[in-house]
Amino acid sequence: MIDYQQAIDCIFQTIKPLAAVRVPLAEGVDRVLAEDVFSLLELPPADNSAMDGYAFDHAGLADGFLTTIGFIPAGDTFSATVKRGEAVRIMTGAPLPKGVDTVVPIEDIESLSDNRIRLRKRLEHGANVRVRGEELKAGEKILCRGQHLDPAAIGMLASAGITEVCVYPAPRVAILSTGDELVELGETPDSGKIINSNAHLLAACLRQDGFIPILLGIARDQPGELEAFLRKGLDADMLITTGGVSVGDRDLVQPTLMKIGFKKLFWQVATKPGKPTLFGTIDGQPVFGLPGNPAASAATYQLYARPALRMLAGHSHPFAPTLRVTLATPLKAGGKRLHFLWGNLIIVNGVLQFDPSQRQGSGQNRSAVGAQALFPLPIDSPALAAGDSIDVIMLHLPFGQNPSHN
Ligand SMILES: Nc1nc2c(c(=O)[nH]1)N[C@H]1C(S)=C(S)[C@@H](COP(=O)(O)OP(=O)(O)OC[C@H]3O[C@@H](n4cnc5c(N)ncnc54)[C@H](O)[C@@H]3O)O[C@H]1N2
Ligand code: MOO
């Protein structure tokens, strides 16, 4: 049996980004750039005002008095040259006319009679002016391959005149649930049956992370049916199965995958949950056989499938960050497998604490509900006390807390 580090090393060495596609800029959000991007425009296109105020020539400001000779709203230009001792009323974003280099905000002047104004305080030369090209030069490299496109990046690319981007696409993920005991949500589970909740859990994880779930349904524990279902998943960018990967008489996923060209890279990891996790490829397509126990499916999605999907999507940092926090409540000693414990992150006096969930059983969906982090309790770890420093794997930010309780 391999350990957790060997499992993630194997995934890291195996998965390569998907073939890049060119998409309209708006569809690029949350994707990763597959090529460098160069600005088509200079920005700002001209020296312009950063404030609503009055523009003037700083060198001509002898006594703090100026005569206003006109008005420029944003989007307009002013053709006349402004002479020393004169000022034009100018709005934020409007280009500076010839002859001026400094802007005084409206709040900092006193209006006098005869179109005269007086500056209340001294200003630096060039104050409140945005200089042509200070943000972007035409032809300048503005974003590099590998950059994640957040909304601010989309805004900057739009400002640079970029209409399309070349990105790694969002992976499409086929999900197959296996097991004779399963019925679909909406059906009545008769004796011994349970609802296929893992498909909903995994589809929700995928949607939350910006990936595309393709639900294949439920394959019975019967080799022919299972093979037909597995083949349906081969068009996707990744295939994830749940259930049927342990050592039971009806755990048929692995032998059936083998029949259709599966190259097994690992099976069984010394972790709890997640021991029976299976990983490999079929013609280069990554395939995960996740354990059927719901919280084991949820944990192995976070620990293995999610980073693998981020790698397909071109992210150079696929693994969730770890963060040093304090333990809120004591924990029992570790055992013979690395034990991933679900927990909440709570903020106490501005310090993050990890509060382990009361339920940790891998057979229950409830164990993972609301958890924002996983704590890997090391093999043979001694018992831990409240206040101990621990490193947790961050799954989500602890939003949703009432700020007054911090
Ligand atoms: N003798 C051994 N038995 C088991 C071992 C072992 O090492 N030796 N490992 C245990 C561990 S750990 C896990 S995890 C489970 C995983 O086994 P499988 O992946 O083969 O999963 P199943 O046996 O098919 O199901 C396990 C459990 O999960 C429920 N399940 C399955 N699919 C779904 C679904 N789509 N939605 C909701 N719940 C599902 C299923 O009914 C079972 O209760 O094996 C242990 N056994
Ligand atoms: O390892 Mo299993 O995956 O405990 O539930």
Side-chain angles (χ1 to χ4, degrees), residues 183-196:
V183 297
E184 290 295 13
L185 180 61
E187 292 173 15
T188 307
D190 294 330
S191 59
K193 306 280 185 193
I194 57 164
I195 292 167
N196 172 17

Side-chain angles (χ1 to χ4, degrees), residues 221-256:
D221 295 322
Q222 192 272 327
E225 179 172 331
L226 185 56
E227 181 178 332
F229 268 98
L230 289 170
R231 284 188 188 280
K232 283 190 205 169
L234 300 184
D235 288 341
D237 299 313
M238 177 184 284
L239 169 61
I240 297 181
T241 66
T242 72
V245 281
S246 191
V247 291
D249 299 343
R250 296 209 171 157
D251 289 337
L252 301 172
V253 169
Q254 189 173 168
T256 312

Side-chain angles (χ1 to χ4, degrees), residues 231 256-264 281-284:
R231 284 188 188 280
T256 312
L257 281 170
M258 289 298 192
K259 277 178 67 184
I260 59 170
F262 181 64
K263 180 179 164 201
K264 180 166 89 175
T281 56
I282 297 179
D283 279 341

Side-chain angles (χ1 to χ4, degrees), residues 32 148 171 211 305-320:
V32 174
H148 169 245
F211 309 127
R306 187 191 195 197
L309 286 161
R310 285 176 56 81
M311 291 170 73
L312 286 180
H315 288 276
S316 41
H317 299 289
F319 294 99

